Amino acid sequence: MQVLLGKPSDRRYGALMLDQDIDDIHPLFHGAPQTTEFKKLRKRIVRYTREAVEQYGMVERREDGSVPKWLVCLSGGKDSYTLLAVLYELKWRGLLPVDLLACNLDQGQPGFPATVLPEFLEKMGVPHRIEYQDTYSIVMDKVPQGRTYCALCSRLRRGNLYRIAREEGCSAVVLGHHRDDILETFFMNLFHGGRLATMPPKLVNEEGDLFVFRPLAHVAEADCEKFARSMNYPIIPCDLCGSQDGLQRQQVKQIIDTWESNSPGRRQVMFRALMNARPSHLLDPKLFDFAGLALKNFEDVTESEEIPQLR
């Protein structure tokens, strides 16, 4: 059963509470800028995240009354820091009735600053689990020279996160993918995969025992960047496995950047299109029964009524 996060009056109250000093929320917000620009940024991220959580039914009411537990995956990048902070804000405001467990998977990349996240999470008082699994060596051994590491690395990481979620009694693995990640994945599939698909905000894993959520689905990458930088979170670079020029995702990002530069707002228009699919106007017979289409009152059509012919 989907949970609407608060009664209408509660939601209005929650909106009013957004003007409260955010230093009072959680140590994650201590020292936050008090500028009007930052407050607007924070409100926008909170609003979009809350909309995604409600729209895609990420919080479900359990018959036994227990509270769901989410495994919040923390890489040390700007997106995952933003995810962690906004989930704690929603929880603090009584708008997210779940328990949160932050998790970092140290995959053994050379130069990875292994102490940064544990020290940060301890300082912030965030319940967490740090897991070490040397998947980096496996990837380096299995992937031929000159090929990109991302696909295999991602599969190994996801498998370990599922295992950790089960061990910790979590019902969901929560990832920090944002609007731009989802849009880029769509074009990756379009250009290179020959399919219309992207990363959904909510799915069930292949085993059927865990949800995968992306609460930042409506949040722009630029907003994550501004938020994490403004909060001075200890951001860990995402290029520890080495620079791989010519990555398809980077090429797609550059294409979208060019479109956005030439037509500001293009990203959001394209993203809205992903939420406005019309199966009858595509070509997939598995999604729409084209063969079953028939004219109404065909026998009443007269000779004067021309029927369009295919050419």
Side-chain angles (χ1 to χ4, degrees):
M1 179 185 298
Q2 180 178 341
V3 173
L4 190 60
L5 304 183
K7 300 176 181 178
S9 58
D10 296 334
R11 294 198 295 277
R12 289 194 295 270
Y13 176 62
L16 293 173
M17 289 172 63
L18 286 174
D19 293 325
Q20 188 169 335
D21 188 344
I22 58 178
D23 271 358
D24 295 336
I25 293 176
H26 190 274
L28 282 167
F29 290 90
H30 287 178
Q34 296 301 306
T35 63
T36 299
E37 180 182 5
F38 180 81
K39 289 180 179 180
K40 288 182 178 179
L41 169 67
R42 178 183 59 87
K43 289 179 182 179
R44 183 165 62 248
I45 294 174
V46 170
R47 182 174 73 252
Y48 286 161
T49 304
R50 184 179 176 189
E51 286 176 357
V53 169
E54 290 191 356
Q55 184 174 14
Y56 298 104
M58 295 183 188
V59 179
E60 295 183 342
R61 192 187 311 277
R62 295 181 172 180
E63 293 182 359
D64 61 2
S66 62
V67 177
K69 185 177 182 181
W70 289 4
L71 188 77
V72 183
C73 301
L74 194 67
S75 66
K78 64 185 186 307
D79 310 326
S80 61
Y81 278 123
T82 302
L83 172 67
L84 183 67
V86 72
L87 291 181
Y88 263 93
E89 174 157 358
L90 288 172
K91 182 176 172 63
W92 180 84
R93 298 186 187 284
L95 301 173
L96 188 65
V98 302
D99 291 333
L100 303 174
L101 177 67
C103 176
N104 171 250
L105 179 63
D106 181 345
Q107 297 181 259
Q109 298 101 324
F112 183 78
T115 62
V116 170
L117 284 171
E119 291 176 356
F120 173 79
L121 294 169
E122 287 286 350
K123 180 180 179 181
M124 296 295 111
V126 174
H128 62 277
R129 173 170 169 175
I130 306 296
E131 179 86 4
Y132 178 81
Q133 292 289 331
D134 185 10
T135 62
Y136 177 81
S137 297
I138 298 175
V139 171
M140 295 298 292
D141 179 63
K142 299 294 184 182
V143 177
Q145 187 174 3
R147 300 289 296 274
T148 58
Y149 311 139
C150 300
L152 178 58
C153 180
S154 177
R155 287 197 298 271
L156 294 173
R157 179 172 63 250
R158 189 67 57 86
N160 277 289
L161 291 173
Y162 288 167
R163 172 183 56 81
I164 295 168
R166 295 183 185 105
E167 291 174 358
E168 296 291 344
C170 298
S171 61
V173 172
V174 186
L175 306 175
H177 295 124
H178 45 65
R179 180 200 67 181
D180 298 72
D181 287 326
I182 292 173
L183 190 58
E184 290 161 14
T185 299
F186 170 79
F187 281 106
M188 287 279 290
N189 284 318
L190 178 66
F191 294 155
H192 304 289
R195 60 183 178 274
L196 297 182
T198 188
M199 300 183 294
K202 176 183 179 180
L203 62 85
V204 175
N205 67 339
E206 293 181 358
E207 293 79 6
D209 64 337
L210 290 170
F211 286 112
V212 176
F213 295 148
R214 296 181 174 94
L216 298 183
H218 295 171
V219 179
E221 179 178 17
D223 282 353
C224 294
E225 173 77 24
K226 292 175 185 176
F227 181 86
R229 296 290 182 187
S230 297
M231 291 302 304
N232 292 315
Y233 291 145
I235 296 174
I236 298 173
C238 62
D239 59 354
L240 293 170
C241 58
S243 176
Q244 295 178 293
D245 294 333
L247 286 175
Q248 293 175 345
R249 183 171 291 275
Q250 290 302 319
Q251 295 173 352
V252 167
K253 181 183 287 288
Q254 291 171 7
I255 292 171
I256 297 175
D257 285 345
T258 300
W259 289 341
E260 180 70 20
S261 177
N262 293 335
S263 302
R266 185 63 58 199
R267 270 192 176 89
Q268 187 59 23
V269 172
M270 292 188 294
F271 184 78
R272 285 205 307 269
L274 296 179
M275 303 174 65
N276 189 27
R278 298 185 179 182
S280 64
H281 287 57
L282 297 173
L283 280 75
D284 191 342
K286 297 187 295 296
L287 296 181
F288 186 81
D289 184 15
F290 294 100
L293 281 178
L295 295 176
K296 293 183 179 179
N297 301 320
F298 181 78
E299 63 277 6
D300 296 333
V301 175
T302 65
E303 294 181 359
S304 62
E305 295 177 303
E306 180 180 352
I307 300 176
Q309 301 295 317
L310 292 176
R311 296 182 179 179

